[in-house]
Amino acid sequence: GAGVSQSPRYKVAKRGQDVALRCDPISGHVSLFWYQQALGQGPEFLTYFQNEAQLDKSGLPSDRFFAERPEGSVSTLKIQRTQQEDSAVYLCASSLIAGGPLDTQYFGPGTRLTVL
Amino acid sequence: KQEVTQIPAALSVPEGENLVLNCSFTDSAIYNLQWFRQDPGKGLTSLLLIQSSQREQTSGRLNASLDKSSGRSTLYIAASQPGDSATYLCAVRGNTGFQKLVFGTGTRLLVSP
C-alpha cells in the first residue's frame, strides 16, 4: 500500500508569509507525528496526534506553529508569519497503534521549507 | 532531558569493510531504540528496533546492540557496499509520555567502490 505522503515537497516563502504543510498518513494509522529537521541535524519532535486528538504539542517552537488533524486522518502543520529560522525539512510520521512495543513510525519524504 | 549523541559524524570507507556506528544516550529509562537510514531528499527508513529488554537485533548484514545501563548502542554493518551510503540516525523512545522519538544528529556514511 501507499506510504506516508507529504505535500508540497518543496516550499519557498518570503519572511512573514503563512504556510501550510500537508501530511497524508498510512490509511488506518492511529498515531501521527510532526518533526522538524534543520540542516545537518537529527529530526526534533514537534507534536503528536492520536486520531484527532493532539496529545502532545510540547515541541512546537512558538505560537506561530499550529497543527491539526480534524478527522483523524490528514494533518496540516501551519506556520504563521514565517521567519528564516523556520527553514528546515518538516517530516511527518504515522504508526498503526498507540504505544505498542513494536510500534514503528513510518516517515514521509518531508517538506523542505526555505524562508527568504 | 534525553540527549542522543552519535559518533562519528561522518565516515568514509572502501567497499567491503566492516564498520561500526556508535550511539549514546543520557537517560537509560528508554522503551526502545531504533536505527534509521536517511537518503538525501527522502524520508527515514527504519532498519532495526531493539526493545529495552533486548540486547541485539539482526537484519541481513546489519546488527544492532543495546547496553541500556551504559546508555550505548552500536550499529554494525558487515561487508559494506556503495548502496549503504546514507545518513544513519539513532533514536530512542522514552518510558514516559507518548511515543515521540529523540534523535541523534546522525552519522553520514560514504562507501566508495
Side-chain angles (χ1 to χ4, degrees), chain B residues 1-56:
Chain B
K1 177 185 174 185
Q2 179 72 271
E3 293 184 0
V4 180
T5 304
Q6 291 187 245
I7 296 174
L11 183 62
S12 182
V13 300
E15 181 177 7
E17 274 203 8
N18 302 325
L19 57 98
V20 174
L21 308 182
N22 297 289
C23 171
S24 61
F25 46 95
T26 55
D27 186 349
S28 62
I30 65 169
Y31 193 75
N32 59 39
L33 181 146
Q34 275 185 276
W35 283 92
F36 290 88
R37 168 183 174 141
Q38 186 172 32
D39 294 280
K42 297 187 179 180
L44 280 63
T45 301
S46 180
L47 298 173
L48 290 164
L49 185 152
I50 311 176
Q51 295 300 324
S52 61
S53 59
Q54 297 176 319
R55 298 285 293 182
E56 66 177 340

Side-chain angles (χ1 to χ4, degrees), chain A residues 9 31 33 35 37 41-43 45 48 55 91 95 97 99-105 107-109, chain B residues 31-32 34 36 38 41-46 49 51 89 93 98-106:
Chain A
R9 292 292 314 277
S31 297
F33 306 80
Y35 293 86
Q37 186 174 23
Q41 302 297 314
F45 170 80
Y48 164 64
L55 299 183
L91 295 166
S95 64
I97 56 177
L102 296 179
D103 199 8
T104 298
Q105 294 181 27
F107 282 79
Chain B
Y31 193 75
N32 59 39
Q34 275 185 276
F36 290 88
Q38 186 172 32
K42 297 187 179 180
L44 280 63
T45 301
S46 180
L49 185 152
Q51 295 300 324
L89 291 159
R93 177 180 154 189
F98 299 104
Q99 300 163 275
K100 69 179 182 184
L101 299 176
V102 179
F103 285 85
T105 53

Side-chain angles (χ1 to χ4, degrees), chain A residues 2 7-8 11-12 14 17 20 26 28-29 36 38-39 43 51 58 63 69 71 74 79 82 102-103 106 109-110 112:
Chain A
S7 62
K11 177 70 178 177
V12 178
K14 292 183 178 179
Q17 283 185 332
I26 295 173
H29 277 198
Q36 180 191 57
L39 188 65
N51 295 308
S58 61
D63 57 8
R69 193 186 185 197
E71 298 179 358
V74 171
I79 309 174
T82 53
L102 296 179
D103 199 8
Y106 296 87
R112 180 178 297 277

Side-chain angles (χ1 to χ4, degrees), chain B residues 84-97:
Chain B
D84 295 330
S85 298
T87 296
Y88 291 81
L89 291 159
C90 164
V92 299
R93 177 180 154 189
N95 272 335
T96 59

Side-chain angles (χ1 to χ4, degrees), chain A residues 73-89:
Chain A
S73 177
V74 171
S75 178
T76 303
L77 177 66
K78 298 179 180 179
I79 309 174
Q80 297 177 324
R81 305 181 303 282
T82 53
Q83 300 179 4
Q84 286 189 324
E85 60 262 31
D86 300 335
S87 296
V89 175

